[in-house]
Amino acid sequence: MCISFRGVRGEEGYVALEVGDGFDVHRLFDGRRLFLVGVESPFIRCLLVRSNCDVLIHAVSDAILGAISESDIGHFFPDSDRGIKGIKSENILSFVGRLLKDKGFKIENIDAVVIAEKPKILPYRQQMIESMSRILQIDATRIGLKGKTTEGLGFTGQQEGIAAYAVALVEKDMEQWQSVTGELNLLA
């Protein structure tokens, strides 16, 4: 979408914004360490998937990919590819961040929610935000992160799984867009 604006000096222009959302869920089981945005939690039950199971990174990655009109992370990192077994989710998010920049976009805002009875997110929140900020090379003030429970209801409430939702707002970076496409028109 393009939003027109009038600057404080009377100049007019357009800002091209795109939004994407992401969702991920994983089953919990005993015997593995739990990571969220690369931050280890002492929670005793961990996620069972091919990568290091970071449900939050997977949701954020899909939100960014949606905002830049790409497919989901399963397209780039399919379960059937034995070569990626055990891949660190931080590498997935880093790949997505590079793809975003290569397509001439920059992140304006990420907002994410982790749904779980345990672990509580608050004690790790700032660490997770700083980790995501470092991986995506954006200011931490552009990242919102919340933890919610389902008050004992459903698979997350029964501690059988963990879920995450994310929304990403991105903007075409005019300088990057021009260097990638050679076009001077942001609306092209």
Side-chain angles (χ1 to χ4, degrees):
M1 92 179 86
C2 289
I3 299 173
S4 63
F5 69 89
R6 183 175 301 273
V8 291
R9 294 186 196 105
E11 68 274 14
E12 293 184 17
Y14 292 91
V15 177
L17 299 172
E18 304 291 340
V19 66
D21 67 341
F23 170 75
D24 200 29
V25 62
H26 291 299
R27 178 176 295 164
L28 293 170
F29 78 107
D30 293 327
R32 264 179 91 180
R33 297 180 300 168
L34 173 64
F35 291 89
L36 292 170
V37 197
V39 177
E40 186 175 0
S41 163
F43 189 51
I44 60 169
R45 303 183 79 206
C46 298
L47 306 170
L48 176 61
V49 291
R50 279 193 163 310
S51 71
N52 71 340
C53 321
D54 199 319
V55 68
L56 182 54
I57 280 184
H58 297 172
V60 168
S61 295
D62 275 344
I64 294 168
L65 289 169
I68 62 172
S69 300
E70 288 288 345
S71 191
D72 66 9
I73 60 174
H75 172 79
F76 296 100
F77 302 94
D79 286 345
S80 59
D81 183 352
R82 293 177 185 249
I84 63 166
K85 185 176 181 181
I87 187 173
K88 287 179 127 186
S89 292
E90 297 96 308
N91 294 342
I92 293 172
L93 187 57
S94 181
F95 168 84
V96 169
R98 285 191 310 274
L99 182 61
L100 168 104
K101 288 178 184 169
D102 289 348
K103 289 190 77 172
F105 288 91
K106 64 182 178 180
I107 295 171
E108 286 298 318
N109 177 263
I110 292 172
D111 190 30
V113 180
V114 177
I115 300 99
E117 294 297 315
K118 291 180 183 175
K120 296 295 184 194
I121 299 304
L122 188 58
Y124 309 99
R125 181 180 179 274
Q126 196 55 43
Q127 247 185 301
M128 290 182 209
I129 289 171
E130 289 168 8
S131 178
M132 193 180 306
S133 167
R134 178 185 47 76
I135 294 166
L136 290 171
Q137 300 175 0
I138 62 172
D139 192 274
T141 61
R142 295 187 178 272
I143 301 169
L145 177 60
K146 297 167 285 301
K148 297 291 181 185
T149 70
T150 56
E151 303 295 329
L153 300 174
F155 72 92
T156 57
Q158 297 300 312
Q159 298 181 37
E160 296 171 357
I162 188 170
Y165 292 92
V167 176
L169 179 66
V170 302
E171 177 186 349
K172 274 191 181 175
D173 181 323
M174 189 57 170
E175 289 179 25
Q176 178 69 9
W177 177 253
Q178 288 175 351
S179 70
V180 169
T181 64
E183 297 175 8
L184 297 177
N185 183 356
L186 181 67
L187 302 177

